[in-house]
Amino acid sequence: MIRLEDLALFVRTAALGSFSAAAREAGLLPGQASAAIKRLERELDLRLFVRTTRALRLTAEGEQYLETAREVLDTLRQGRERLRGDDAPLSGTLRLAAPSDLGRNILLPWLDDFHAAHPRLSVQLLLSDQVTDVFREPVDAAVRQGRFDDARYVTLPLLPDNRHVLVASPRYLAQRGRPERLEDLREHEAVLYMLGGRAYDRWNFEVDGQRQVVQVRGQLLSNNADVTRQWALAGQGIAYKSWLDVHRDIAAGRLEWLLPQFGEPFPILLVCPHRRQFSPAVRQLHALLAQRLQALAGTDRLQP
């Protein structure tokens, strides 16, 4: 008889590509995870993985069986949730991934409130500016900024009209002057964000419904979005940031909004691997975050 624990380990091993990683996640020894997969293979009378010294990959039969395994586990979880009902106290673990700047400066106190309202629910917040694969990483949902067109995922709007804006400190503008046109950005110092080891130094703008790209330059680069904001506050250069990340600095006069007629849509979304993962905890978190982000936009947004 197939054990549900073995089925769950198979799904996570396939996602992580490693017996040891799946074992650590489940609190097991690597040998126990490997034994569980072998036991499942015996029950099915087929081989699920090709094992080599350097890699672990699914066989053709394993690829085919993976979807069935996911559906079985999802069906059991949905049944459990229906029995509990939407009004039942939230429990278990909710793992949320979010960008570092947004997570630390805005989401963190709201998650504290969410946990206080649902004390039986364990909330794990994973902060990173790298794009989390919500199939591979052990997260239930991820807050994402920017366009997201991957059909494998369910995307739920949080703040759909957020945008990128150009900002600089009064100190920088006093020293270097204020750009009057997008082309002037080429003569200014930019503080740059890195993604995947590459500098984001080609800034995109929407101009009369058309995309315009401006190549910028800068000596300061970081893979942490909050560091670029700190550099801008310190007068090190012009930053091209999410409005949500800098709106308080603009309102307080610490940063000035440059060329406000130009920008780029940068919506904020909640992303789930698929609709069956849209659990009561994720649904309630989505409602809370959407309400608070839109209220924040309504009270703090500055008009160009």
Side-chain angles (χ1 to χ4, degrees):
M1 180 178 294
I2 292 175
R3 302 182 184 183
L4 292 177
E5 296 84 353
D6 295 351
L7 206 60
L9 271 171
F10 163 62
V11 170
R12 292 308 298 156
T13 300
L16 298 169
S18 165
F19 286 131
S20 58
R24 282 194 301 271
E25 187 178 298
L28 301 174
L29 297 173
Q32 291 175 297
S34 178
I37 300 303
K38 290 179 180 178
R39 187 163 54 236
L40 181 59
E41 289 177 328
R42 286 197 300 270
E43 288 288 343
L44 296 171
D45 194 25
L46 57 84
R47 194 175 186 187
L48 297 170
F49 290 101
V50 175
R51 304 164 177 83
T52 68
T53 55
R54 293 187 177 182
L56 181 73
R57 62 178 177 83
L58 288 166
T59 62
E61 294 83 2
E63 291 275 7
Q64 185 176 353
Y65 188 66
L66 179 60
E67 185 61 29
T68 299
R70 284 174 174 160
E71 289 178 358
V72 168
L73 294 172
D74 286 337
T75 299
L76 290 170
R77 181 178 49 78
Q78 289 179 70
R80 183 170 60 251
E81 290 171 358
R82 281 195 296 268
L83 287 173
R84 292 173 55 200
D86 286 341
D87 295 332
L90 299 181
S91 61
T93 300
L94 174 65
R95 299 176 181 89
L96 177 71
S100 59
D101 204 352
L102 179 63
R104 289 191 187 96
N105 298 325
I106 294 179
L107 299 185
L108 188 57
W110 298 349
L111 290 175
D112 289 342
D113 292 343
F114 187 71
H115 180 254
H118 307 285
R120 293 174 56 185
L121 181 71
S122 173
V123 178
Q124 298 181 6
L125 177 61
L126 310 176
L127 296 179
S128 173
D129 289 320
Q130 303 305 309
V131 178
T132 299
D133 184 338
V134 292
F135 279 120
R136 182 175 177 83
E137 299 296 331
V139 299
D140 301 296
V143 176
R144 285 284 162 264
Q145 299 184 110
R147 293 187 176 94
F148 198 94
D149 300 320
D150 195 322
R152 297 177 301 165
Y153 299 84
V154 174
T155 58
L156 308 161
L158 291 172
L159 191 61
D161 60 345
N162 189 54
R163 59 185 290 209
H164 264 132
V165 296
L166 291 162
V167 293
S169 72
R171 174 184 171 187
Y172 175 86
L173 296 173
Q175 293 175 342
R176 297 289 301 272
R178 180 183 298 268
E180 301 295 336
R181 306 171 302 156
L182 287 179
E183 292 76 13
D184 295 343
L185 295 173
R186 298 187 176 95
E187 306 305 318
H188 281 265
E189 187 73 14
V191 288
L192 299 175
Y193 174 66
M194 296 177 64
L195 185 62
R198 300 184 62 180
Y200 175 48
D201 58 0
R202 292 172 58 83
W203 290 352
N204 298 315
F205 301 88
E206 281 195 359
V207 181
D208 298 326
Q210 302 294 318
R211 181 185 180 207
Q212 181 171 332
V213 180
V214 178
Q215 178 80 49
V216 295
R217 60 178 179 80
Q219 299 300 315
L220 297 177
L221 300 89
S222 176
N223 65 350
N224 185 289
D226 195 39
V227 170
T228 62
R229 171 178 162 270
Q230 294 295 335
W231 277 334
L233 288 167
Q236 297 290 346
I238 295 175
Y240 195 33
K241 294 281 295 175
S242 164
W243 172 86
L244 197 63
D245 289 343
V246 294
H247 71 285
R248 291 172 177 160
D249 298 316
I250 295 171
R254 294 185 293 267
L255 293 174
E256 295 189 29
W257 189 350
L258 310 177
L259 301 172
Q261 69 272 34
F262 299 117
E264 178 189 29
F266 201 55
I268 299 177
L269 312 162
L270 189 68
V271 179
C272 294
H274 43 71
R275 192 162 299 279
R276 288 187 293 270
Q277 193 134 346
F278 196 37
S279 66
V282 172
R283 285 198 296 272
Q284 293 190 41
L285 179 65
H286 171 253
L288 172 73
L289 296 184
Q291 184 271 329
R292 296 209 176 176
L293 284 169
Q294 289 166 27
L296 184 64
T299 56
D300 288 355
R301 182 177 295 279
L302 301 179
Q303 297 299 322

